Amino acid sequence: MDNIFIEIPVFTAILIINNGIFIIQQRKEMRMRICKAKDYKDLSRKAANIISAQMIMKPDCVLGLATGSSPVGTYEQLIDWYKKGDLDFSSVTSVNLDEYRGLSPENDQSYRYFMNTNLFDHVNIDKAHTFVPNGLEPDSEKACRDYDTVIESAGGIDLQLLGLGHNGHIGFNEPSDTFSKGTNCVDLTESTIEANKRFFESESDVPRQAYTMGIGSIMKAKKILVVVSGKDKAGILKEVVCGPITPEVPASVLQLHSDVTIVADEDALSEM
């Protein structure tokens, strides 16, 4: 396994959160571990190894889970190990990053449906302990407040799995002039709608809003695991790791976290 360690020197970072709170962090040394994978299959296995290690180390862990095409192979590997008797999900709690506003859990494009289909239906996790934002809650403030309570009641996230959007978004935290603190309702950008339209019959069917875990909530996770695949992500990955920390590239904030592992294939690392 090839690992690249990106060291970030002493600095002071000021994050402007959208409710007016300022967070100032000083670090003497931080490292972003970048694990180089040969291809998507190898990436998925390496990411699944990290998640399974968390589960074995703490069987009642809280996993922050992601949707989209990037983590599908990781979930397939976890299912395979579960079927072989190597993993036990019975005590695990999960909290998902996001959900489209207006979609029911039964809608085949909802993220609840995605998680059931790609993971939960195939392992022994208690679905009562799996949480996704309520896309059908019309009161956005209530939906966001309720989901923040869910995360807090679970005891916080032990390991958060993330994909990386072409514009640097994590969850549905889109480029902005501030970092979001808690769960929030977002308007999806045209680039995100374009990227997701392949999952719908037409672009007009893609929801224009979503509920998403905030940057502040993601950064509170004890560990963060990011999976990145493909040459089309090479430019943004370099920007996230080596560029300035800015809400215009939301994932750049991960430079401030003390325990981040990025698993990326050769194509995604081609500009590093």
Side-chain angles (χ1 to χ4, degrees), residues 208-230:
R208 265 45 185 178
Q209 289 186 314
Y211 294 128
T212 183
M213 193 185 296
I215 294 292
S217 300
I218 292 170
M219 291 293 285
K220 287 180 181 178
K222 296 180 181 70
K223 300 177 183 178
I224 294 176
L225 169 63
V226 189
V227 290
V228 191
S229 176

Side-chain angles (χ1 to χ4, degrees), residues 21 29 32 38 50 71-72 80 95 106 164 183 192 203 265:
I21 294 176
E29 178 183 331
M32 297 182 76
K38 185 175 182 180
I50 294 170
V72 169
D80 181 59
V95 288
E106 296 76 28
L164 177 65
T183 304
T192 298
E203 182 180 320
D265 61 19

Side-chain angles (χ1 to χ4, degrees), residues 17-243:
I17 305 298
N18 62 2
N19 61 1
I21 294 176
F22 294 80
I23 297 177
I24 301 176
Q25 295 186 347
Q26 277 192 317
R27 302 287 192 193
K28 291 185 178 179
E29 178 183 331
M30 294 188 299
R31 287 187 173 188
M32 297 182 76
R33 292 179 295 277
I34 301 181
C35 176
K36 182 179 179 181
K38 185 175 182 180
D39 51 27
Y40 180 73
K41 184 177 181 179
D42 187 36
L43 174 154
S44 299
R45 186 178 181 86
K46 284 178 166 60
N49 261 322
I50 294 170
I51 296 171
S52 62
Q54 174 65 59
M55 293 172 58
I56 292 168
M57 182 173 58
K58 185 181 179 184
D60 62 345
C61 64
V62 178
L63 298 178
L65 299 179
T67 53
S69 56
S70 296
V72 169
T74 300
Y75 295 150
E76 289 175 348
Q77 183 63 73
L78 291 172
I79 291 167
D80 181 59
W81 287 337
Y82 164 75
K83 290 181 176 178
K84 290 178 179 177
D86 297 329
L87 290 177
D88 178 13
F89 287 80
S90 62
S91 299
V92 170
T93 296
S94 73
V95 288
N96 260 74
L97 280 168
D98 42 31
E99 179 60 283
Y100 286 117
R101 188 182 187 191
L103 296 192
S104 70
E106 296 76 28
N107 188 299
D108 63 4
Q109 295 304 322
S110 75
Y111 287 156
R112 163 59 73 179
Y113 188 97
F114 176 99
M115 291 307 306
N116 287 344
T117 302
N118 287 282
L119 182 62
F120 299 155
D121 286 346
H122 308 285
V123 297
N124 65 333
I125 197 166
D126 182 350
K127 285 187 181 178
H129 294 161
T130 65
F131 300 95
V132 179
N134 181 5
L136 291 182
E137 174 55 64
D139 183 338
S140 60
E141 290 188 6
K142 183 178 186 302
C144 297
R145 187 170 59 248
D146 288 351
Y147 204 60
D148 285 338
T149 299
V150 165
I151 298 169
E152 184 179 348
S153 298
I157 299 167
D158 292 299
L159 186 152
Q160 176 65 59
L161 174 64
L162 299 173
L164 177 65
H166 290 94
N167 60 3
H169 74 247
I170 46 178
F172 271 132
N173 292 285
E174 300 282 12
S176 178
D177 55 357
T178 60
F179 289 106
S180 60
K181 183 184 179 185
T183 304
N184 58 108
C185 181
V186 298
D187 296 322
L188 304 185
T189 63
E190 288 303 316
S191 64
T192 298
I193 292 169
E194 177 69 22
N196 289 347
K197 73 178 184 180
R198 68 188 188 275
F199 302 116
F200 294 81
E201 289 188 11
S202 68
E203 182 180 320
S204 62
D205 293 325
V206 183
R208 265 45 185 178
Q209 289 186 314
Y211 294 128
T212 183
M213 193 185 296
I215 294 292
S217 300
I218 292 170
M219 291 293 285
K220 287 180 181 178
K222 296 180 181 70
K223 300 177 183 178
I224 294 176
L225 169 63
V226 189
V227 290
V228 191
S229 176
K231 282 193 174 181
D232 58 327
K233 298 287 183 71
I236 192 61
L237 179 58
K238 181 179 180 180
E239 201 171 344
V240 165
V241 173
C242 302

